[in-house]
């Protein structure tokens, strides 16, 4: 089959493609997509979900003629880099025409005007696409289905307007319920338009949850009813398969450890004052918290060693975590270390300390710095979890990750860990080090991440693919 070629920026570059030889689990997933018009594919990081999906799409496009135009919605980096790279990587996809609709509005419109089989857009532009581009797609792929977990978001509401026009929908993710079972409502409504978990969030809550934390008539959180998890899993099991990397790949050992640090009495007094009064008077100004969400953020900052005042200044409280990080770097004996930070003032303080100690470092914020890390040329690499997620391979550069500051988001946490703990990691062990300030919100975040992981693991176990069937 010969197809017209577009400019390399929108179709194929001159690369040497390789033969795709799917593993048994990959072939199982390919056939599952092909035989299910609606498919939720919960694949652990590193199992090759993009290659699996592209192979199934190729068959549906050119062998079975069941679809003609595919829309792929993905995170920006994944839309811009990962999907095009995967199409060009595999020899059997050489005839696939694709167009990447990212960049300026003019560039996106030009991309949609091109004649292609697969159109790829970043999730932030879904609303724009629905409002400005004729929806002529009979298949939709939502890469990272968890990014549609908010039923009130503009991207969710926009996609639901055109969802009925596509006869095939594929949802891909490794973290389907990062914040608990409540996330599943919107994610599966995108897939089946509410057939399994209902059309309305209020009914979903009534059927499967009960109020947990309340203030009068205001409900802040919900708990699953007894047996709710199993009932939810049963409802979605006919369109869902899941696979864990450890079941199908030779993965390194994953070691989680904590490095405890302790605030002295004056430092602890500031933290305790903030906890009790929702306010603290510091040298550079006052720090106040109007609600529990703001308080959580302020306490996280204080546990890390600094906090933004109400005027936007940075008040330094302690260096306990910086000292711990320095100890960890020294213990690495020259081996590369990946450091995850959350706040800008954490990054600034880390960089100042590394400069003072004459320790080489770099931010992983560009393709060039990522390439240097993977060549082993960066002793300490600094990365923000929000930019360390989907489609970023860092396993060639090191095998140790240190969390300087934690995140409440299980999805961001797991995706960051998976940058090192994945297929292709040469080390036999991957070490995840967490710097925890004793007696602070750090401990609660760690427990919350562990609880969410148990909930998510239960979901994945409940619908795990049985390749022996």
């Amino acid at each position: 089959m010969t197809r017209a070629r577009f400019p390399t920026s929108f179709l194929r570059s001159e690369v040497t493609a390789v033969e795709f030889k799917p593993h048994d689990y990959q072939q199982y997933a390919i056939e599952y997509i092909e035989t299910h018009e609606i498919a939720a594919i919960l694949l652990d990081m590193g199992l090759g979900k993009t290659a699996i999906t592209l192979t199934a799409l190729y068959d549906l496009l050119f062998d079975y003629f069941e679809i003609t135009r595919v829309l792929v919605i993905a995170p920006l980096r994944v839309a811009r880099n990962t999907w095009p790279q995967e199409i060009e990587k595999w020899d059997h996809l050489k005839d696939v025409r694709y167009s990447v609709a990212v960049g300026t509005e003019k560039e996106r419109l030009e991309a949609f005007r091109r004649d292609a089989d697969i159109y790829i857009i970043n999730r932030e532009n879904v609303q724009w696409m629905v409002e400005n581009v004729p929806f002529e797609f009979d298949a939709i792929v939502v890469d990272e289905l968890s990014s549609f977990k908010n039923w009130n978001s503009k991207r969710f509401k926009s996609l639901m307007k055109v969802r009925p026009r596509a006869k095939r929908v594929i949802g891909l993710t490794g973290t389907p319920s990062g914040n608990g079972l409540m996330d599943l409502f919107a994610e599966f409504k995108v897939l089946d338009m509410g057939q399994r978990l209902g059309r309305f969030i209020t009914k979903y809550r009534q059927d499967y949850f009960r109020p947990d934390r309340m203030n009068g008539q205001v409900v802040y959180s919900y708990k699953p009813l007894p047996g709710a998890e199993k009932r939810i899993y049963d409802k979605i099991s006919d369109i869902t398969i899941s696979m864990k990397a450890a079941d199908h790949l030779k993965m390194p050992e994953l070691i989680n450890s904590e490095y405890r640090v302790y605030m002295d009495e004056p430092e602890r007094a500031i933290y305790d004052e903030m906890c009790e009064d929702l306010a603290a008077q510091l040298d550079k100004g006052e720090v106040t918290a109007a609600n529990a969400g703001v308080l959580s953020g302020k306490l996280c900052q204080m546990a890390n060693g600094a906090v933004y005042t109400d005027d936007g200044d940075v008040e330094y409280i302690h260096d306990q975590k910086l000292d711990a990080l320095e100890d960890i770097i020294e213990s690495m004996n020259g081996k590369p270390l990946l450091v995850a930070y959350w706040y800008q003032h954490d990054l600034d303080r880390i960089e100042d300390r590394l400069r003072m100690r004459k320790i080489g470092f770099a931010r992983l914020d560009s393709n060039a710095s990522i390439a240097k890390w993977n060549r082993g040329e960066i002793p300490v690499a600094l990365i923000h979890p929000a930019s360390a997620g989907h489609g970023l391979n860092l396993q060639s550069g090191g095998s140790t990750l240190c969390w300087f500051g934690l995140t409440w988001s299980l999805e961001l946490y797991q995706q960051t860990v998976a940058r090192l703990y994945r297929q292709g990691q040469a080390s036999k062990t991957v070490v995840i080090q967490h710097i925890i300030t004793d007696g602070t919100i750090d401990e609660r975040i760690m427990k919350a991440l562990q609880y969410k992981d148990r909930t998510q693991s239960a979901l994945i176990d409940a619908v795990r693919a049985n390749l022996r069937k």
Side-chain angles (χ1 to χ4, degrees), residues 337-355:
L337 177 67
L338 184 64
V339 179
Y341 67 92
W342 191 255
Y343 296 100
Q344 180 64 40
H345 57 61
D346 290 339
L347 174 63
D348 295 339
R349 291 186 303 121
I350 291 169
E351 291 184 333
D352 288 345
R353 174 64 69 94
L354 296 177
R355 290 190 191 95

Side-chain angles (χ1 to χ4, degrees), residues 184-204:
L184 298 180
F185 169 77
E187 295 173 12
F188 276 82
K189 187 173 180 180
V190 165
L191 298 179
D192 69 4
M193 293 182 287
Q195 291 180 28
R196 288 162 182 80
L197 299 183
R199 295 174 56 202
F200 303 104
I201 184 62
T202 51
K203 184 69 164 57
Y204 180 65

